[in-house]
Amino acid sequence: MVDDAEKLIARTPETFKEKQNIDARILHEVREIDLKQRRLRVKKTDTGQTTWEPFEQLLVSTGSISIRPDVPGIDAKGIYGVNTLQSGLNVRRVVDEQQPQKAVIIGGGYIGLEMAEALIMRKLEVSLVERSEQVMNTLDSDMGELVSEALMKVGVKLYRNESLTAFETDNGSVQAVVTDQRTLPTDLVILGMGVQPNTGLAQDAGIPLGVKGAIKVNDLMQTEIEGIWAAGDCAECYHLMRRQPFHIALGTVANKMGRVAGINIGGGYATFPGIVGTAVSKICDVEVARTGLQEKEVQDLGLQYVTGKIESSTRAGYYPDSGRIHVKLLAEKGTGRLLGGQIVGKEGAAKRIDVLATALHAELTLDAMINLDLSYAPPYSPVWDPIIIAARVAVKKL
Ligand SMILES: Cc1cc2nc3c(=O)[nH]c(=O)nc-3n(C[C@H](O)[C@H](O)[C@H](O)COP(=O)(O)OP(=O)(O)OC[C@H]3O[C@@H](n4cnc5c(N)ncnc54)[C@H](O)[C@@H]3O)c2cc1C
């Protein structure tokens, strides 16, 4: 949808220099962190030249890496991950220049969903293989089913409960995706199998890791080693609902962690209290959002809960372009506190999740939520906002 990729670059090294006097060195790869001598071994990737750079304070923000399955044929041409701007551009170039007819996406998370949308818009025949019973498995299965329906409605062939086993290749190029149940001929494969923290460098240096191999940090973004900080996808954060350290790879979280780390490294004081697990995505005209805990997480934590699930409309029913919206809430028995929420629906549905995320941060109970002074006018909402209707349904069960 964005024709000029330059528009996606938030800041160039020149802007960093001019506006903030920051020396941003691209094409420089840190190969080793020497904690004893407080220095980094840095390789210039274009010339191969290696130097040692000293530091006093170090922020590790190496992000995450896409999971590449270890299956036969994985190194064939035509198999793409989309984890960097360049990798996205590579896919676009292939679609423009080679005009592939068929694509298979492996994985039904938000990257799989968004790539399905992009390729459907470019008129490819798209199949999506997902090993779970539902796409978007950060939603409960009943809400995930709505997303699966949305995918199929826009023409995506969906293969659930199927696992990738291999890629068939010819002359070094991918020809087909092989699952445990079928062979899907294809011209193009997109990997959307999730990410893991990119922490090999930190681990080799002896910086302690925590949950899912992410770097252990406290609320100030300090690691356990004096003067070494970590933030973003490579670091742990605290999950306020689970009351445990957690790993989540989202830009919204990375930015906040980075800000806190920066303030502290600069001699100020800031803390990042944690996350509630809010995320939003879409497939064509269906929006998908979630926050807090889903049913299986609540069950794993041993909490007792009720759900309130409703179908309503995004605007007043009579208003033009009013669409369906499904809201599901989870609340704890006894205390009545909100535990999580999920929304699937047409335009205007997804950002309602922010009300639920705020309610989670404020530890609101459903009793408090049914009287929230949420806005109403026909272009935006029915008189009773769908969130309040869902809260009322759950309150009755409580
Ligand atoms: C296709 C896609 C869509 C996304 N959409 C959303 C979205 O809509 N909303 C959302 O909240 N999040 C989204 N995300 C996630 C978001 O992009 C990440 O959470 C965020 O970029 C993490 O920021 P970061 O700074 O921790 O890591 P990154 O942005 O990954 O930056 C890490 C940087 O470190 C560099 N690096 C790594 N190792 C070294 C080394 N040894 N030496 C030097 N440099 C190194 C990498 O090259 C990279 O530039 C999306 C991600 C993808 C891939």
Side-chain angles (χ1 to χ4, degrees):
M1 294 172 79
V2 182
D3 47 5
D4 180 3
E6 291 289 313
K7 288 184 190 161
L8 299 177
I9 299 174
R11 269 176 242 179
T12 61
E14 292 74 32
T15 333
F16 268 120
K17 189 77 203 158
E18 281 159 24
K19 289 204 169 160
Q20 286 142 328
N21 197 25
I22 291 172
D23 178 11
R25 299 188 202 172
I26 56 169
L27 302 175
H28 285 65
E29 187 183 342
V30 177
R31 304 299 291 263
E32 186 184 342
I33 302 171
D34 178 352
L35 289 179
K36 271 203 185 118
Q37 300 198 50
R38 313 293 278 185
R39 58 180 191 163
L40 305 174
R41 184 160 60 83
V42 183
K43 183 178 168 192
K44 248 180 135 266
T45 53
D46 50 355
T47 63
Q49 186 198 358
T50 299
T51 53
W52 284 97
E53 301 285 340
F55 66 83
E56 290 169 10
Q57 304 283 319
L58 176 71
L59 170 70
V60 183
S61 56
T62 43
S64 51
I65 39 176
S66 308
I67 294 170
R68 278 185 83 79
D70 187 16
V71 296
I74 181 70
D75 295 323
K77 270 191 251 155
I79 302 174
Y80 296 89
V82 274
N83 58 331
T84 60
L85 177 56
Q86 190 54 51
S87 60
L89 290 174
N90 292 345
V91 175
R92 183 158 83 177
R93 200 191 56 239
V94 164
V95 172
D96 285 340
E97 291 174 5
Q98 297 174 14
Q99 302 190 344
Q101 305 293 306
K102 291 182 175 173
V104 177
I105 297 170
I106 318 286
Y110 72 86
I111 299 224
L113 223 63
E114 291 172 17
M115 286 308 293
E117 171 179 316
L119 295 173
I120 284 282
M121 284 168 74
R122 298 296 301 267
K123 310 275 186 260
L124 274 82
E125 193 182 299
V126 179
S127 302
L128 193 149
V129 176
E130 164 58 53
R131 68 178 171 189
S132 322
E133 63 173 312
Q134 276 310 338
V135 294
M136 290 301 283
N137 61 18
T138 54
L139 301 181
D140 294 334
S141 55
D142 51 348
M143 297 297 278
E145 177 66 31
L146 299 169
V147 185
S148 295
E149 282 167 16
L151 275 165
M152 291 188 279
K153 209 168 163 197
V154 295
V156 175
K157 290 191 185 130
L158 192 54
Y159 301 97
R160 288 170 280 181
N161 291 314
E162 285 195 37
S163 292
L164 168 74
T165 56
F167 296 105
E168 278 182 11
T169 63
D170 183 32
N171 234 346
S173 293
V174 71
Q175 300 295 312
V177 170
V178 185
T179 74
D180 48 8
Q181 292 178 47
R182 73 193 79 230
T183 297
L184 296 164
T186 192
D187 307 314
L188 177 69
V189 174
I190 305 287
L191 300 174
M193 303 176 72
V195 296
Q196 59 194 47
N198 180 17
T199 50
L201 191 65
Q203 186 177 27
D204 290 348
I207 299 169
L209 306 184
V211 58
K212 285 196 178 163
I215 300 171
K216 261 189 181 184
V217 285
N218 63 15
D219 286 3
L220 281 79
M221 302 293 116
Q222 275 169 319
T223 71
E224 290 181 0
I225 302 197
E226 177 65 31
I228 311 289
W229 311 73
D233 283 6
C234 68
E236 273 183 355
C237 56
Y238 189 74
H239 198 302
L240 295 165
M241 304 302 300
R242 300 172 73 105
R243 298 178 181 153
Q244 290 166 345
F246 194 69
H247 177 252
I248 196 163
L250 283 177
T252 169
V253 180
N255 271 281
K256 290 176 195 118
M257 290 167 107
R259 174 180 168 274
V260 166
I263 290 171
N264 290 321
I265 294 169
Y269 178 78
T271 52
F272 182 58
I275 57 132
V276 293
T278 312
V280 65
S281 187
K282 79 180 187 71
I283 169 74
C284 297
D285 64 349
V286 174
E287 303 181 351
V288 183
R290 58 99 59 220
T291 189
L293 305 172
Q294 64 186 130
E295 285 198 53
K296 69 172 183 263
E297 290 178 293
V298 176
Q299 288 157 6
D300 286 348
L301 291 168
L303 301 176
Q304 293 196 10
Y305 65 102
V306 298
T307 61
K309 194 173 147 198
I310 59 107
E311 186 181 346
S312 176
S313 56
T314 51
R315 310 170 203 271
Y318 52 80
Y319 199 85
D321 298 328
S322 167
R324 303 314 291 161
I325 175 172
H326 301 259
V327 178
K328 179 173 179 179
L329 302 183
L330 279 68
E332 190 182 21
K333 275 191 184 166
T335 64
R337 75 181 165 121
L338 181 70
L339 294 173
Q342 298 159 39
I343 299 177
V344 178
K346 293 292 170 76
E347 191 187 348
K351 277 300 268 181
R352 287 184 152 94
I353 203 74
D354 291 341
V355 173
L356 299 178
T358 308
L360 289 175
H361 276 276
E363 298 182 14
L364 291 190
T365 63
L366 289 194
D367 271 335
M369 285 179 65
I370 57 176
N371 287 318
L372 282 178
D373 186 12
L374 302 185
S375 59
Y376 159 68
Y380 301 107
S381 168
V383 179
W384 288 94
D385 190 278
I387 281 180
I388 293 186
I389 306 175
R392 282 174 40 182
V393 168
V395 159
K396 275 186 203 155
K397 293 194 192 170
L398 282 170

mmCIF file of all heavy atoms in Angstrom, residues 28-31 61-64 82-84 110-111 114 198 201 231-234 249-254 280, ligand 1:
data_model
loop_
_atom_site.group_PDB
_atom_site.id
_atom_site.type_symbol
_atom_site.label_atom_id
_atom_site.label_comp_id
_atom_site.label_asym_id
_atom_site.label_seq_id
_atom_site.Cartn_x
_atom_site.Cartn_y
_atom_site.Cartn_z
ATOM 1 N N HIS A 28 27.480 -2.019 10.383
ATOM 2 C CA HIS A 28 28.459 -2.389 11.415
ATOM 3 C C HIS A 28 27.831 -3.484 12.272
ATOM 4 O O HIS A 28 26.756 -3.268 12.824
ATOM 5 C CB HIS A 28 28.779 -1.203 12.339
ATOM 6 C CG HIS A 28 29.673 -0.178 11.714
ATOM 7 N ND1 HIS A 28 29.291 0.566 10.637
ATOM 8 C CD2 HIS A 28 30.927 0.228 12.038
ATOM 9 C CE1 HIS A 28 30.270 1.397 10.313
ATOM 10 N NE2 HIS A 28 31.279 1.213 11.142
ATOM 11 N N GLU A 29 28.481 -4.610 12.360
ATOM 12 C CA GLU A 29 27.910 -5.701 13.150
ATOM 13 C C GLU A 29 28.774 -5.983 14.373
ATOM 14 O O GLU A 29 29.981 -6.189 14.247
ATOM 15 C CB GLU A 29 27.817 -6.959 12.282
ATOM 16 C CG GLU A 29 27.082 -8.073 13.001
ATOM 17 C CD GLU A 29 27.034 -9.365 12.196
ATOM 18 O OE1 GLU A 29 27.254 -9.329 10.968
ATOM 19 O OE2 GLU A 29 26.812 -10.406 12.828
ATOM 20 N N VAL A 30 28.134 -5.973 15.526
ATOM 21 C CA VAL A 30 28.868 -6.324 16.746
ATOM 22 C C VAL A 30 29.028 -7.837 16.776
ATOM 23 O O VAL A 30 28.042 -8.571 16.699
ATOM 24 C CB VAL A 30 28.112 -5.832 18.000
ATOM 25 C CG1 VAL A 30 28.843 -6.267 19.264
ATOM 26 C CG2 VAL A 30 27.959 -4.324 17.956
ATOM 27 N N ARG A 31 30.277 -8.304 16.853
ATOM 28 C CA ARG A 31 30.527 -9.749 16.829
ATOM 29 C C ARG A 31 30.812 -10.305 18.212
ATOM 30 O O ARG A 31 30.712 -11.487 18.454
ATOM 31 C CB ARG A 31 31.734 -10.063 15.914
ATOM 32 C CG ARG A 31 31.588 -9.538 14.494
ATOM 33 C CD ARG A 31 30.388 -10.168 13.815
ATOM 34 N NE ARG A 31 30.594 -11.571 13.545
ATOM 35 C CZ ARG A 31 30.997 -12.071 12.383
ATOM 36 N NH1 ARG A 31 31.199 -11.267 11.361
ATOM 37 N NH2 ARG A 31 31.168 -13.355 12.212
ATOM 38 N N SER A 61 20.108 -4.062 22.104
ATOM 39 C CA SER A 61 18.737 -3.999 21.540
ATOM 40 C C SER A 61 18.769 -4.667 20.169
ATOM 41 O O SER A 61 18.448 -4.069 19.146
ATOM 42 C CB SER A 61 18.248 -2.559 21.453
ATOM 43 O OG SER A 61 19.147 -1.776 20.710
ATOM 44 N N THR A 62 19.152 -5.939 20.208
ATOM 45 C CA THR A 62 19.397 -6.687 18.969
ATOM 46 C C THR A 62 18.120 -7.290 18.382
ATOM 47 O O THR A 62 18.190 -8.033 17.391
ATOM 48 C CB THR A 62 20.438 -7.796 19.229
ATOM 49 O OG1 THR A 62 20.120 -8.430 20.475
ATOM 50 C CG2 THR A 62 21.844 -7.241 19.311
ATOM 51 N N GLY A 63 16.968 -7.021 18.972
ATOM 52 C CA GLY A 63 15.702 -7.453 18.375
ATOM 53 C C GLY A 63 15.467 -8.950 18.448
ATOM 54 O O GLY A 63 15.942 -9.633 19.359
ATOM 55 N N SER A 64 14.702 -9.436 17.476
ATOM 56 C CA SER A 64 14.397 -10.876 17.460
ATOM 57 C C SER A 64 14.742 -11.448 16.087
ATOM 58 O O SER A 64 14.981 -10.696 15.141
ATOM 59 C CB SER A 64 12.908 -11.098 17.758
ATOM 60 O OG SER A 64 12.124 -10.291 16.926
ATOM 61 N N VAL A 82 9.760 -12.457 6.556
ATOM 62 C CA VAL A 82 9.569 -11.000 6.455
ATOM 63 C C VAL A 82 9.825 -10.396 7.831
ATOM 64 O O VAL A 82 8.912 -10.110 8.584
ATOM 65 C CB VAL A 82 8.163 -10.597 5.960
ATOM 66 C CG1 VAL A 82 8.097 -10.581 4.462
ATOM 67 C CG2 VAL A 82 7.091 -11.494 6.527
ATOM 68 N N ASN A 83 11.107 -10.254 8.140
ATOM 69 C CA ASN A 83 11.444 -9.723 9.458
ATOM 70 C C ASN A 83 12.157 -8.377 9.380
ATOM 71 O O ASN A 83 12.359 -7.737 10.401
ATOM 72 C CB ASN A 83 12.278 -10.732 10.254
ATOM 73 C CG ASN A 83 13.541 -11.111 9.528
ATOM 74 O OD1 ASN A 83 13.573 -11.093 8.308
ATOM 75 N ND2 ASN A 83 14.579 -11.423 10.267
ATOM 76 N N THR A 84 12.542 -7.959 8.181
ATOM 77 C CA THR A 84 13.164 -6.638 8.051
ATOM 78 C C THR A 84 12.507 -5.927 6.874
ATOM 79 O O THR A 84 11.841 -6.564 6.049
ATOM 80 C CB THR A 84 14.670 -6.756 7.734
ATOM 81 O OG1 THR A 84 14.801 -7.462 6.490
ATOM 82 C CG2 THR A 84 15.432 -7.487 8.825
ATOM 83 N N TYR A 110 0.070 -12.972 13.259
ATOM 84 C CA TYR A 110 -0.290 -11.725 12.590
ATOM 85 C C TYR A 110 0.542 -11.462 11.337
ATOM 86 O O TYR A 110 0.058 -10.871 10.383
ATOM 87 C CB TYR A 110 -0.319 -10.529 13.552
ATOM 88 C CG TYR A 110 1.000 -10.025 14.052
ATOM 89 C CD1 TYR A 110 1.726 -9.096 13.321
ATOM 90 C CD2 TYR A 110 1.523 -10.451 15.263
ATOM 91 C CE1 TYR A 110 2.941 -8.622 13.782
ATOM 92 C CE2 TYR A 110 2.730 -9.987 15.724
ATOM 93 C CZ TYR A 110 3.437 -9.074 14.981
ATOM 94 O OH TYR A 110 4.643 -8.609 15.434
ATOM 95 N N ILE A 111 1.772 -11.965 11.289
ATOM 96 C CA ILE A 111 2.567 -11.760 10.066
ATOM 97 C C ILE A 111 1.984 -12.597 8.930
ATOM 98 O O ILE A 111 1.846 -12.116 7.803
ATOM 99 C CB ILE A 111 4.047 -12.108 10.325
ATOM 100 C CG1 ILE A 111 4.541 -11.168 11.425
ATOM 101 C CG2 ILE A 111 4.873 -12.061 9.040
ATOM 102 C CD1 ILE A 111 5.845 -10.541 11.288
ATOM 103 N N GLU A 114 -1.205 -10.834 7.758
ATOM 104 C CA GLU A 114 -0.991 -9.596 7.010
ATOM 105 C C GLU A 114 -0.358 -9.887 5.648
ATOM 106 O O GLU A 114 -0.653 -9.216 4.658
ATOM 107 C CB GLU A 114 -0.170 -8.605 7.850
ATOM 108 C CG GLU A 114 -1.008 -8.100 9.032
ATOM 109 C CD GLU A 114 -0.242 -7.260 10.049
ATOM 110 O OE1 GLU A 114 0.853 -6.774 9.734
ATOM 111 O OE2 GLU A 114 -0.772 -7.093 11.166
ATOM 112 N N ASN A 198 16.822 -12.367 19.808
ATOM 113 C CA ASN A 198 18.151 -12.488 19.181
ATOM 114 C C ASN A 198 19.218 -12.202 20.248
ATOM 115 O O ASN A 198 19.673 -11.078 20.395
ATOM 116 C CB ASN A 198 18.232 -11.484 18.025
ATOM 117 C CG ASN A 198 19.564 -11.536 17.312
ATOM 118 O OD1 ASN A 198 20.320 -12.494 17.449
ATOM 119 N ND2 ASN A 198 19.857 -10.494 16.553
ATOM 120 N N LEU A 201 24.576 -13.149 21.007
ATOM 121 C CA LEU A 201 25.700 -12.272 21.339
ATOM 122 C C LEU A 201 25.760 -12.010 22.859
ATOM 123 O O LEU A 201 26.828 -12.107 23.481
ATOM 124 C CB LEU A 201 25.465 -10.946 20.600
ATOM 125 C CG LEU A 201 26.543 -9.908 20.531
ATOM 126 C CD1 LEU A 201 27.732 -10.424 19.737
ATOM 127 C CD2 LEU A 201 25.981 -8.639 19.864
ATOM 128 N N ALA A 231 16.756 -3.760 25.953
ATOM 129 C CA ALA A 231 15.385 -3.304 25.693
ATOM 130 C C ALA A 231 14.918 -3.839 24.354
ATOM 131 O O ALA A 231 15.722 -4.165 23.482
ATOM 132 C CB ALA A 231 15.338 -1.777 25.687
ATOM 133 N N GLY A 232 13.601 -3.915 24.199
ATOM 134 C CA GLY A 232 13.005 -4.336 22.931
ATOM 135 C C GLY A 232 12.822 -5.841 22.854
ATOM 136 O O GLY A 232 12.795 -6.547 23.870
ATOM 137 N N ASP A 233 12.725 -6.333 21.627
ATOM 138 C CA ASP A 233 12.404 -7.748 21.394
ATOM 139 C C ASP A 233 13.400 -8.714 22.023
ATOM 140 O O ASP A 233 13.072 -9.883 22.228
ATOM 141 C CB ASP A 233 12.405 -8.043 19.887
ATOM 142 C CG ASP A 233 11.151 -7.546 19.177
ATOM 143 O OD1 ASP A 233 10.328 -6.873 19.811
ATOM 144 O OD2 ASP A 233 11.015 -7.849 17.975
ATOM 145 N N CYS A 234 14.625 -8.247 22.283
ATOM 146 C CA CYS A 234 15.629 -9.173 22.824
ATOM 147 C C CYS A 234 15.536 -9.290 24.353
ATOM 148 O O CYS A 234 16.244 -10.091 24.951
ATOM 149 C CB CYS A 234 17.044 -8.743 22.410
ATOM 150 S SG CYS A 234 17.576 -7.201 23.159
ATOM 151 N N ALA A 249 7.178 -9.817 21.356
ATOM 152 C CA ALA A 249 7.949 -9.098 20.333
ATOM 153 C C ALA A 249 7.026 -8.119 19.621
ATOM 154 O O ALA A 249 6.440 -8.438 18.595
ATOM 155 C CB ALA A 249 8.558 -10.093 19.352
ATOM 156 N N LEU A 250 6.869 -6.948 20.201
ATOM 157 C CA LEU A 250 6.013 -5.923 19.599
ATOM 158 C C LEU A 250 6.693 -4.564 19.644
ATOM 159 O O LEU A 250 7.348 -4.209 20.631
ATOM 160 C CB LEU A 250 4.669 -5.846 20.319
ATOM 161 C CG LEU A 250 3.668 -6.947 19.987
ATOM 162 C CD1 LEU A 250 2.408 -6.798 20.808
ATOM 163 C CD2 LEU A 250 3.321 -6.960 18.498
ATOM 164 N N GLY A 251 6.460 -3.798 18.580
ATOM 165 C CA GLY A 251 7.077 -2.478 18.476
ATOM 166 C C GLY A 251 6.617 -1.524 19.560
ATOM 167 O O GLY A 251 7.400 -0.717 20.073
ATOM 168 N N THR A 252 5.341 -1.626 19.928
ATOM 169 C CA THR A 252 4.823 -0.728 20.958
ATOM 170 C C THR A 252 5.562 -0.920 22.289
ATOM 171 O O THR A 252 5.909 0.038 22.981
ATOM 172 C CB THR A 252 3.293 -0.929 21.112
ATOM 173 O OG1 THR A 252 2.873 -0.244 22.256
ATOM 174 C CG2 THR A 252 2.898 -2.384 21.249
ATOM 175 N N VAL A 253 5.849 -2.182 22.602
ATOM 176 C CA VAL A 253 6.560 -2.484 23.848
ATOM 177 C C VAL A 253 8.031 -2.089 23.726
ATOM 178 O O VAL A 253 8.613 -1.474 24.631
ATOM 179 C CB VAL A 253 6.422 -3.992 24.191
ATOM 180 C CG1 VAL A 253 7.158 -4.325 25.469
ATOM 181 C CG2 VAL A 253 4.962 -4.392 24.287
ATOM 182 N N ALA A 254 8.623 -2.414 22.565
ATOM 183 C CA ALA A 254 10.046 -2.118 22.337
ATOM 184 C C ALA A 254 10.312 -0.610 22.490
ATOM 185 O O ALA A 254 11.292 -0.197 23.112
ATOM 186 C CB ALA A 254 10.468 -2.600 20.956
ATOM 187 N N VAL A 280 -2.961 -5.948 17.878
ATOM 188 C CA VAL A 280 -4.027 -5.681 16.928
ATOM 189 C C VAL A 280 -3.520 -6.010 15.529
ATOM 190 O O VAL A 280 -2.328 -5.874 15.241
ATOM 191 C CB VAL A 280 -4.482 -4.206 17.090
ATOM 192 C CG1 VAL A 280 -3.397 -3.227 16.728
ATOM 193 C CG2 VAL A 280 -5.733 -3.896 16.318
HETATM 194 C C1 LIG B 1 6.390 -7.704 9.288
HETATM 195 C C2 LIG B 1 6.317 -7.190 10.694
HETATM 196 C C3 LIG B 1 5.243 -6.432 11.103
HETATM 197 C C4 LIG B 1 5.176 -5.941 12.394
HETATM 198 N N1 LIG B 1 4.076 -5.200 12.767
HETATM 199 C C5 LIG B 1 3.991 -4.736 14.024
HETATM 200 C C6 LIG B 1 2.880 -3.949 14.427
HETATM 201 O O1 LIG B 1 1.978 -3.667 13.625
HETATM 202 N N2 LIG B 1 2.806 -3.531 15.711
HETATM 203 C C7 LIG B 1 3.801 -3.797 16.618
HETATM 204 O O2 LIG B 1 3.695 -3.355 17.765
HETATM 205 N N3 LIG B 1 4.894 -4.513 16.250
HETATM 206 C C8 LIG B 1 5.003 -4.988 14.987
HETATM 207 N N4 LIG B 1 6.099 -5.725 14.615
HETATM 208 C C9 LIG B 1 7.140 -6.000 15.612
HETATM 209 C C10 LIG B 1 8.142 -4.873 15.691
HETATM 210 O O3 LIG B 1 8.658 -4.605 14.418
HETATM 211 C C11 LIG B 1 9.278 -5.239 16.647
HETATM 212 O O4 LIG B 1 8.731 -5.606 17.885
HETATM 213 C C12 LIG B 1 10.233 -4.084 16.866
HETATM 214 O O5 LIG B 1 10.843 -3.702 15.663
HETATM 215 C C13 LIG B 1 11.312 -4.462 17.875
HETATM 216 O O6 LIG B 1 12.202 -3.409 18.009
HETATM 217 P P1 LIG B 1 13.706 -3.673 18.486
HETATM 218 O O7 LIG B 1 14.369 -2.358 18.427
HETATM 219 O O8 LIG B 1 13.708 -4.453 19.720
HETATM 220 O O9 LIG B 1 14.290 -4.653 17.384
HETATM 221 P P2 LIG B 1 14.477 -4.433 15.808
HETATM 222 O O10 LIG B 1 13.557 -3.406 15.288
HETATM 223 O O11 LIG B 1 14.447 -5.804 15.222
HETATM 224 O O12 LIG B 1 15.940 -3.845 15.725
HETATM 225 C C14 LIG B 1 17.064 -4.614 16.063
HETATM 226 C C15 LIG B 1 18.207 -4.133 15.228
HETATM 227 O O13 LIG B 1 19.428 -4.662 15.743
HETATM 228 C C16 LIG B 1 20.245 -4.998 14.649
HETATM 229 N N5 LIG B 1 21.214 -5.989 15.114
HETATM 230 C C17 LIG B 1 20.994 -7.257 15.530
HETATM 231 N N6 LIG B 1 22.145 -7.854 15.907
HETATM 232 C C18 LIG B 1 23.129 -6.944 15.723
HETATM 233 C C19 LIG B 1 24.549 -6.958 15.921
HETATM 234 N N7 LIG B 1 25.172 -8.037 16.359
HETATM 235 N N8 LIG B 1 25.231 -5.834 15.625
HETATM 236 C C20 LIG B 1 24.595 -4.717 15.169
HETATM 237 N N9 LIG B 1 23.285 -4.652 14.963
HETATM 238 C C21 LIG B 1 22.543 -5.749 15.243
HETATM 239 C C22 LIG B 1 19.278 -5.551 13.617
HETATM 240 O O14 LIG B 1 19.842 -5.526 12.319
HETATM 241 C C23 LIG B 1 18.109 -4.584 13.773
HETATM 242 O O15 LIG B 1 18.241 -3.467 12.940
HETATM 243 C C24 LIG B 1 6.205 -6.214 13.305
HETATM 244 C C25 LIG B 1 7.304 -6.986 12.905
HETATM 245 C C26 LIG B 1 7.357 -7.475 11.613
HETATM 246 C C27 LIG B 1 8.539 -8.301 11.191
#
